[in-house]
């Protein structure tokens, strides 16, 4: 957005990119100020009247913007001299026209281009003041990699990312990790760090950051971004980093559109996803990118981010409430330990807590004002005030902001399968305590109780099996009970079944037996053998004449006689490793 505004003002592509890189890329106003400063340094006639009239200067400064992009010069008509135009100032491409200002002085008015740019700058500042505050987590994004907190395994001095920045060889990357772990922040910090590195080396090109979201963008948006990147690369040798958030939401054909532009170097691709790339991203895209995994932030990392937000007077917490606040260590520790490693959740909770604390402070409190010569002493008797000008964020405010402990869980995502696997393996290892813990994690995350009950039925046969045949009855009864009463009452029923299965004796004999039998059936040469004649039923005379059922021994009448029940090719094959019933009875 900032790049488009600068380009619409007429600034060259390379100059606009340099201005955004030098000022952090977040504010059009700061970038304009930077360009004006460069203009004053570069123009040899910056102090003369010639520079004030672009039409009189045959060799304008290379930094001079095309003012007719945002100023319209019109003739008033017959009543005015053509040398005294009516000037209509347009603040910018996104601001509606607020009216016109007619300048009809008795003599020629000489105004420099800086005058008009200052008018534009003033209007833009007023517009930004009217805008709503950005969320705290957005304002507190790190500018460079040195500002990033956590993810030390990716940001060490000898890491891939830092080495790539030093060598100016940014690779295409896919960041995979839970929400709030810094995927977007690290992507932006990479671009800023690379641009600053080039600036220190007094080299070009600078990197240009373009962000798309797979939730709202399509192939056309990607195609437009790539086309613009190719033009800028040819025109000004400016490289484009295309960041695609939630890239897993693109379908196969949309992901295919990235392949040729990554190969020819038109863009440096950086994707971010909360889902397992192995399942949601196509293999050709993964082969062209390096997958980097981000971990949930540790509590001390989150606490550091919260303290940074509290202490930052320019972008931090005070800007959210327009009022000084005091946050204790207890509040910071509580939020840091209950956000589940999600920095966005933590900063949101801190911001809401501060808003609650400030709202509790009376806007017009009763004050006993005592004048002492030149000073005024304000005496206030309010519990939530520190001195005369601060609101205290209490632990109750933080609890109200979080409502409940934030849990990272997705009923259809990677964490879903991770937790059910942990539950299954804990029961297999006969650790009832761990099994109940993982069950609680799933229930608190919102998992369907019937899904868990179905998995317990499978476990009862797969892992307990013949060692305790009643385990299957327990699991089926658990499913029926959960179906009858639902959550939250069925949590105890699930816990009882989980504990029973964890403590039950284990046998995988049946599980191995069915697996071995299926393997023999699948790997048989040619077709599987037919059922032996003596095992076939003979309900008709014709079938009896063909030998169906001939030679079959009825076991109840002849318990001591034996016969074979397998096809001849696999006679004597043993699938189930379990003591023989007759042997155990003896």
């Amino acid at each position: 957005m900032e790049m488009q505004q600068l380009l619409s003002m007429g600034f060259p592509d390379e100059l606009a990119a340099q201005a955004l890189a030098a000022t952090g890329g977040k504010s059009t106003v700061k970038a304009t100020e930077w360009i004006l400063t460069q203009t004053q340094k570069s123009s040899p006639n910056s102090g003369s009247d010639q520079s004030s009239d672009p039409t009189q200067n045959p060799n304008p400064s290379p930094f001079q913007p095309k003012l007719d992009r945002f100023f319209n010069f019109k003739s008033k008509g017959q009543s005015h001299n053509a040398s005294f135009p009516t000037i209509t100032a347009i603040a910018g491409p996104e601001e509606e026209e607020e009216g016109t200002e007619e300048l009809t002085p008795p003599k020629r008015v000489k105004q420099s281009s800086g005058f008009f740019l200052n008018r534009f700058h003033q209007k833009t500042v007023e517009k930004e003041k009217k805008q709503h505050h950005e969320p705290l987590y957005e304002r507190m994004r790190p500018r460079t990699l040195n500002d990033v907190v956590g993810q030390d395994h990716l940001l060490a001095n000898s890491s891939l990312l830092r080495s790539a920045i030093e060598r100016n060889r940014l690779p295409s990357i896919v960041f995979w990790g839970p929400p709030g772990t810094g995927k977007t922040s690290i992507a932006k910090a990479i671009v800023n760090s690379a641009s600053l590195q080039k600036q220190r080396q007094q080299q070009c090109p600078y990197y240009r950051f373009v962000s798309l979201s797979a939730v709202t963008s399509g192939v056309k948006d990607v195609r437009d971004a790539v086309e613009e990147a190719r033009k800028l690369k040819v025109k000004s040798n400016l490289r484009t980093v295309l960041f695609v958030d939630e890239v897993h939401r693109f379908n196969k054909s949309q992901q295919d559109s990235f392949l040729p532009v990554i190969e020819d170097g038109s863009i440096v691709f950086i994707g971010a996803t909360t889902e397992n790339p192995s399942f949601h991203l196509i293999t050709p895209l993964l082969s062209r990118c390096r997958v980097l995994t981000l971990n949930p932030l540790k509590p001390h990392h989150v606490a550091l981010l919260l303290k940074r937000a509290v202490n930052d007077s320019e972008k931090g917490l005070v800007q959210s409430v327009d009022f000084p606040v005091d946050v204790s260590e207890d509040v910071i520790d509580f939020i840091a330990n209950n956000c589940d490693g999600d920095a966005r959740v933590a900063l949101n909770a801190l911001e809401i807590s501060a808003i609650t604390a400030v709202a509790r402070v009376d806007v017009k409190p009763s004050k006993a004002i005592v004048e002492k010569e030149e000073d005024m002493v304000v005496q206030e008797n309010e519990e939530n005030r520190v001195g005369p000008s601060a609101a205290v964020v209490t632990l109750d405010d933080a609890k109200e902001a979080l409502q409940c402990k934030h849990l990272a869980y997705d009923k259809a995502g990677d964490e879903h399968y991770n937790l059910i696997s942990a539950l299954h393996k804990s029961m297999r290892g006969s650790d009832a305590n761990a099994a109940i813990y993982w069950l609680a994690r799933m229930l608190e995350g919102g998992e369907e109780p019937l899904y868990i009950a179905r998995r317990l039925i499978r476990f009862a046969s797969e892992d307990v099996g013949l060692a305790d045949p009643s385990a299957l009855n327990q699991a089926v009864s658990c499913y029926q009970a959960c179906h009858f009463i639902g959550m939250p009452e069925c949590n105890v029923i699930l816990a009882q079944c989980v504990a029973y299965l964890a403590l039950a004796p284990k046998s995988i004999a049946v599980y191995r037996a069915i697996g071995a039998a299926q393997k023999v059936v699948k790997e048989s040469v040619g077709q599987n053998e037919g059922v032996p004649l003596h095992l076939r039923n003979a309900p008709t005379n014709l079938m009896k004449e063909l030998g169906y059922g001939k030679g079959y021994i009825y076991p109840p009448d002849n318990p001591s006689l034996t016969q074979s029940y397998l096809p001849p090719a696999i006679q004597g094959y043993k699938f189930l490793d379990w003591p023989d019933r007759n042997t155990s009875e003896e």
Side-chain angles (χ1 to χ4, degrees):
M1 182 63 68
E2 290 79 10
M3 185 70 176
Q4 294 296 332
Q5 290 180 352
L6 293 176
L7 293 177
S8 66
M9 294 169 58
F11 294 116
D13 299 334
E14 183 176 355
L15 178 60
Q18 292 180 4
L20 290 175
T23 59
K26 300 292 290 185
S27 173
T28 306
V29 175
K30 293 181 180 179
T32 306
E33 291 177 345
W34 186 88
I35 294 175
L36 289 174
T37 302
Q38 300 298 319
T39 304
Q40 294 174 358
K41 294 180 181 179
S42 303
S43 177
N45 299 320
S46 59
S48 64
D49 288 344
Q50 292 180 356
S51 63
S52 64
D53 189 356
T55 62
Q56 302 294 328
N57 186 2
N59 297 314
S61 168
F63 298 102
Q64 183 69 38
K66 299 176 183 178
L67 297 179
D68 57 348
R69 292 271 187 100
F70 49 94
F71 295 111
N72 293 334
F73 296 90
K74 301 179 180 178
S75 177
K76 181 74 175 178
Q78 299 294 332
S79 61
H80 293 279
N81 191 290
S83 62
F84 305 117
T86 299
I87 302 175
T88 302
I90 301 177
E94 295 183 356
E95 185 174 357
E96 296 181 358
E97 187 173 345
E98 297 180 356
T100 61
E101 180 181 354
E102 296 187 2
L103 301 178
T104 56
K107 60 181 180 179
R108 184 175 181 82
V109 179
K110 296 182 179 180
Q111 297 290 356
S112 66
S113 61
F115 166 78
F116 297 110
L117 285 178
N118 287 335
R119 290 286 303 277
F120 174 80
H121 170 73
Q122 185 176 10
K123 287 179 178 290
T124 307
V125 170
E126 292 174 357
K127 180 182 177 182
E128 288 189 353
K129 287 182 178 179
K130 294 178 183 179
Q131 291 177 344
H132 294 293
H133 287 296
E134 289 180 324
L136 179 62
Y137 68 82
E138 187 67 30
R139 298 198 306 270
M140 294 305 299
R141 287 193 186 277
R143 284 194 57 195
T144 65
L145 289 181
N146 293 331
D147 299 330
V148 176
V149 175
Q151 312 305 337
D152 297 334
H153 63 292
L154 298 179
L155 304 178
N157 291 330
S158 58
S159 65
L160 165 69
L161 294 179
R162 293 194 182 273
S163 300
I165 290 174
E166 292 177 1
R167 303 299 301 173
N168 190 29
R169 298 288 295 179
L170 292 183
S172 292
I173 300 170
V174 172
F175 288 121
W176 172 34
T181 53
K183 297 183 292 295
T184 304
S185 297
I186 292 178
K188 291 182 177 181
I190 288 173
V191 177
N192 291 336
S193 297
S195 297
L196 292 175
Q197 176 75 9
K198 300 297 292 181
Q199 188 176 7
R200 285 192 295 266
Q201 297 174 356
Q202 296 182 351
Q203 298 177 1
C204 285
Y206 293 93
Y207 286 96
R208 169 175 166 267
F209 186 84
V210 176
S211 178
L212 296 177
S213 174
V215 177
T216 57
S217 303
V219 174
K220 182 180 182 301
D221 301 289
V222 175
R223 188 183 299 114
D224 293 342
V226 171
E227 186 65 25
E228 185 178 2
R230 284 174 172 167
K231 291 179 180 178
L232 291 178
K233 183 179 179 182
V234 173
K235 184 177 180 180
S236 57
N237 200 24
L238 182 68
R239 300 193 65 189
T240 298
V241 174
L242 180 60
F243 175 75
V244 181
D245 197 14
E246 305 295 338
V247 66
H248 62 273
R249 293 183 180 270
F250 275 154
N251 58 34
K252 182 179 183 299
S253 61
Q254 290 173 318
Q255 294 182 36
D256 284 335
S257 64
F258 293 115
L259 304 182
V261 295
I262 294 176
E263 286 183 344
D264 63 19
S266 299
I267 62 169
V268 175
F269 176 82
I270 298 181
T273 176
T274 56
E275 303 294 339
N276 192 327
S278 301
F279 302 139
H280 295 272
L281 298 185
I282 60 176
T283 302
L285 182 59
L286 291 177
S287 69
R288 289 164 174 80
C289 301
R290 178 69 182 269
V291 178
L292 301 180
T293 304
L294 281 74
N295 301 321
L297 298 178
K298 302 295 184 182
H300 68 276
H301 291 146
V302 179
L304 181 58
L305 291 174
L306 296 175
K307 292 177 181 178
R308 183 183 294 179
V310 171
N311 297 327
D312 193 328
S313 59
E314 295 183 0
K315 302 180 297 181
L317 189 60
V318 70
Q319 297 298 325
S320 298
V321 295
D322 294 326
F323 198 86
V325 292
D326 181 73
V327 183
S328 65
E329 287 286 341
D330 292 340
V331 172
I332 291 178
D333 290 341
F334 175 80
I335 297 176
N337 285 285
N338 289 274
C339 67
D340 216 35
D342 190 327
R344 187 182 293 109
V345 169
L347 290 171
N348 277 337
L350 178 64
E351 189 172 28
I352 295 173
S353 301
I355 292 173
T356 303
V358 172
R360 189 170 54 247
V361 176
D362 192 0
V363 178
K364 295 181 180 179
S366 58
K367 302 177 181 179
I369 302 178
V370 182
E371 297 186 5
K372 290 185 179 181
E373 297 179 355
E374 299 179 355
D375 298 332
M376 296 179 64
V377 179
V378 181
Q379 298 178 350
E380 301 178 354
N381 296 320
E382 293 190 18
E383 296 180 357
N384 297 314
R385 299 296 293 270
V386 176
S389 59
V392 173
V393 178
T394 65
L395 193 59
D396 289 337
D397 295 332
K399 292 179 179 179
E400 180 68 19
L402 279 175
Q403 291 293 316
C404 61
K405 181 177 176 62
H406 176 74
L407 295 175
Y409 190 74
D410 186 347
K411 290 192 289 184
D414 202 53
E415 195 66 11
H416 163 82
Y417 296 104
N418 291 339
L419 289 179
I420 194 62
S421 176
L423 172 62
H424 195 125
K425 291 174 181 175
S426 297
M427 292 189 297
R428 180 182 294 159
S430 300
D431 191 336
N433 293 308
I436 292 177
Y437 167 77
W438 295 119
L439 171 67
R441 282 278 297 270
M442 297 185 74
L443 293 176
E444 289 299 316
E447 184 57 76
E448 283 287 338
L450 293 182
Y451 167 78
I452 302 175
R454 287 194 296 270
R455 301 309 305 165
L456 297 182
I457 293 175
R458 166 72 183 193
F459 182 90
S461 284
E462 177 181 340
D463 286 272
V464 178
L466 297 178
D468 184 359
S470 62
L472 183 58
N473 294 333
Q474 290 279 342
V476 173
S477 298
C478 173
Y479 179 90
Q480 293 174 338
C482 291
H483 179 70
F484 290 154
I485 65 175
M487 282 291 289
E489 287 83 0
C490 71
N491 60 342
V492 177
I493 299 170
L494 287 169
Q496 175 184 335
C497 186
V498 164
Y500 182 93
L501 296 177
L503 298 175
K506 307 297 189 296
S507 170
I508 59 172
V510 174
Y511 173 73
R512 286 179 174 174
I514 187 62
Q518 288 178 325
K519 182 179 180 182
V520 169
V521 171
K522 292 178 180 178
E523 296 178 356
S524 62
V525 179
Q527 64 181 15
N528 288 286
E529 291 185 77
V531 177
L533 290 176
H534 71 282
L535 296 180
R536 300 185 186 187
N537 193 22
T540 66
N541 291 329
L542 176 61
M543 298 173 74
K544 292 179 180 179
E545 293 175 359
L546 293 175
Y548 282 37
K550 185 178 181 180
Y552 174 66
I553 301 174
Y554 189 57
D557 294 338
N558 303 279
S560 60
L561 298 179
T562 61
Q563 63 184 335
S564 174
Y565 296 96
L566 285 173
I570 55 174
Q571 287 289 337
Y573 202 100
K574 189 174 184 181
F575 296 103
L576 179 63
D577 185 13
W578 194 255
D580 183 74
R581 184 183 62 179
N582 296 328
T583 304
S584 60
E585 288 178 355
E586 294 176 359

